[in-house]
Amino acid sequence: MANIQLPFTRRDKLGRYYTELNVSDILVSQMDSLGASSILDLGSGSGNLSCAASLRWKTATITTIDIESDIKNKFSSSNHITADALNFNLPESLGINESTIDIALCNPPYIKPIWNEDYQKLSEAIGIEKYTRISSILSSEVIFLAQTIRMLKYGGEAGVILPDGIFSAQRLSPLREYLINEHEIKKIIQLPRKTFKKTEAKTHIAIFNKNKKTNPTKKIELYTINEENELSEPIEISDLDGINRLDYSYYNNDKSSDGLKIGDIAIIKRGKHSSKEIRKLKLPTIHTTDLCGFDKNLCLPELNITQLKDNNKYTIACSGDILMSRVGRGFSEKIAFVNSGNAIVSDCIFIIRGNILDIKKIYDFLTSSDGQNELNRNSYGVGAAQISMDLLKKISIGILP
C-alpha cells in the first residue's frame, strides 16, 4: 500500500488502531449467529477479534489476513494469509470463493488509498454503484467494508468497526442508503473516544447481515457504551432516519424539532480562505487559533474595507456578528460576539449574522450547557470534530421571548 495518506496520526505507518480485548468481546457478544463454520478477519492486526470469535464459535475455521507477516498476533491461526486486503484479487489470495463466508470481522486501517481501477470492479461486485460512485467516497475503510460484504454468503453476518464519518457525514449518506436498503442493519454501537490507544478517533461497531430486510418495518437499534463499560438501552430509528445519520449521540435527547432554529432567524456564512492563505494576507484576519473560549466582547482590528479590490473574495466579520469555530477539538467552546471592528475570517470559522437582539440570544444559547450539548450532539468526525452549516442551521434554540 504505497503512497497512502494518514488522516489522524503517524504512529503506525499503515494507519492502524488495534482492537482492545473489551471492544472485541462486546462486538462478538452482540452478533446473532449461533453457529458458524467459516469466519474471516480482514486486517487481523493483533488478533483480538479472532480470539474473541474463537471463544464463541469454537468449531469454526478462522481465516485471518494482514499486510504484515511479522505482526504480533495473539491469535495463532494456521489459516493466516499475508496479503493486501485492498486488492481485488482477495478471494484468490485467501483461497476462498467470494460469497461463502458465514461471519466476517473487520477493524480496518484509516488511510486514503490511491485510486485503483480494481475498486470500480469491487463496487460493481457488491452493487453500490446505483447509490454512489465509489471514487467519490474512497477510503480504506470503505474498501474493507466492500470486501467484507463481497466475501460474506447471502445472509452471512458482519461485525465491523468503522470511523464516525460513515455514520454521520452528510457526504456519505448514499453509502448509508446502500447499507440500509440492500442489507439488514441490526445494531450500531457508538464507542467512546479514546477507545483506541494513541488516538481520540470516534468510532462505531456496525452489525449487519448480507441480505435485504426480511422485515421492512423493523427499526435500526443504536447503542452506546456507558461509563461502566456496558451497553446502553437502545434508541430505535427508522430507515429514513438512518440514511440521515446512524450515530447514537445525534438521537440521544433529540430537541431538533422544538422551537425556532438558528437558520430561521440568522444568516450563516463560512470563511473562504484557508489558514495558510490567511497567514499570507497583510490584512486584519481571524482564525480559530484567535478564538479562546467564550468571548462576549471580542474587539477586532479595523479593516479598511474600501481598500479591498474585490470584496467578494473575502468573508468579513463585523460588529454584531457571532464567530464560531466549525472544526477542531473543542470547536464548540470557541464562540465570540464581535463588539467592534472587522476582519477577514478563515474557512474554519462560521459567521452568524442577524437582528442584534436575536444574535445575542443565539450567543447566550450556544454558550449555555444546552447549546453546548446540541453542538456536540450534531457534530461528527473521527479525529477532530466538526459541524456543517446545514446542521448548525437546524439547531433549535427553543422559543425566543
Side-chain angles (χ1 to χ4, degrees), residues 257-315:
S257 60
D258 300 333
L260 283 171
K261 296 176 175 56
I262 291 175
D264 294 335
I265 56 174
I267 296 170
I268 302 176
K269 296 184 175 182
R270 175 181 165 181
K272 299 175 183 176
H273 290 73
S274 68
S275 58
K276 184 177 181 180
E277 292 169 333
I278 280 285
R279 286 193 293 269
K280 291 181 179 179
L281 291 176
K282 295 181 180 179
L283 294 166
T285 60
I286 185 163
H287 183 52
T288 51
T289 51
D290 302 311
L291 297 176
C292 301
F294 303 146
D295 188 346
K296 205 168 186 176
N297 189 30
L298 178 64
C299 296
L300 296 175
E302 290 292 340
L303 171 67
N304 189 342
I305 297 175
T306 59
Q307 292 182 346
L308 298 178
K309 293 180 180 179
D310 185 358
N311 288 357
N312 292 327
K313 286 177 58 179
Y314 308 99
T315 304

Side-chain angles (χ1 to χ4, degrees), residues 77-264:
S77 169
S78 59
N79 297 314
H80 179 74
I81 309 297
T82 302
D84 188 348
L86 290 174
N87 288 342
F88 185 74
N89 66 356
L90 176 65
E92 289 80 3
S93 298
L94 296 170
I96 301 173
N97 292 331
E98 61 181 74
S99 302
T100 58
I101 294 293
D102 294 325
I103 292 174
L105 309 171
C106 184
N107 177 17
Y110 299 162
I111 58 175
K112 178 83 171 178
I114 303 302
W115 173 254
N116 184 321
E117 288 298 329
D118 279 353
Y119 299 153
Q120 180 63 32
K121 293 192 288 185
L122 177 58
S123 69
E124 292 168 0
I126 66 166
I128 197 175
E129 281 299 296
K130 67 179 180 180
Y131 295 91
T132 184
R133 291 176 301 166
I134 201 163
S135 59
S136 66
I137 59 170
L138 181 66
S139 65
S140 63
E141 54 268 24
V142 169
I143 301 302
F144 269 80
L145 178 60
Q147 295 279 39
T148 296
I149 293 168
R150 179 188 178 197
M151 295 305 299
L152 277 173
K153 70 178 185 182
Y154 185 85
E157 189 174 21
V160 297
I161 300 170
L162 296 166
D164 182 64
I166 285 179
F167 304 90
S168 60
Q170 187 175 13
R171 73 178 186 87
L172 292 175
S173 61
L175 174 59
R176 294 191 290 276
E177 185 177 10
Y178 160 74
L179 291 171
I180 288 169
N181 287 349
E182 302 296 331
H183 308 285
E184 185 177 11
I185 306 294
K186 295 185 291 189
K187 297 176 183 177
I188 305 295
I189 304 168
Q190 181 172 308
L191 299 174
R193 287 190 183 273
K194 298 185 179 180
T195 292
F196 298 94
K197 293 178 180 179
K198 303 176 183 177
T199 180
E200 293 186 5
K202 187 177 179 182
T203 55
H204 308 253
I205 294 170
I207 296 174
F208 64 91
N209 287 103
K210 181 184 174 176
N211 60 2
K212 294 187 177 180
K213 272 193 171 182
T214 53
N215 181 1
T217 62
K218 185 173 177 169
K219 301 290 188 179
I220 300 170
E221 295 180 357
L222 307 182
Y223 297 83
T224 190
I225 305 296
N226 62 26
E227 293 178 356
E228 288 74 38
N229 202 34
E230 297 172 342
L231 216 59
S232 68
E233 290 297 314
I235 296 174
E236 294 187 342
I237 63 170
S238 67
D239 287 357
L240 191 59
D241 285 335
I243 292 169
N244 177 39
R245 287 184 71 146
L246 276 170
D247 49 329
Y248 177 93
S249 57
Y250 179 75
Y251 295 97
N252 190 31
N253 298 321
D254 186 4
K255 300 178 181 179
S256 59
S257 60
D258 300 333
L260 283 171
K261 296 176 175 56
I262 291 175
D264 294 335

Side-chain angles (χ1 to χ4, degrees), residues 1-40:
M1 288 190 295
N3 300 320
I4 58 176
Q5 301 171 23
L6 304 186
F8 313 125
T9 178
R10 295 186 179 275
R11 292 181 182 271
D12 185 316
K13 65 181 182 296
L14 296 175
R16 293 172 298 197
Y17 301 112
Y18 298 127
T19 315
E20 298 298 317
L21 281 170
N22 64 320
V23 177
S24 301
D25 290 342
I26 289 170
L27 185 153
V28 167
S29 70
Q30 292 304 307
M31 298 179 75
D32 291 335
S33 298
L34 298 178
S37 61
S38 58
I39 298 174
L40 175 63

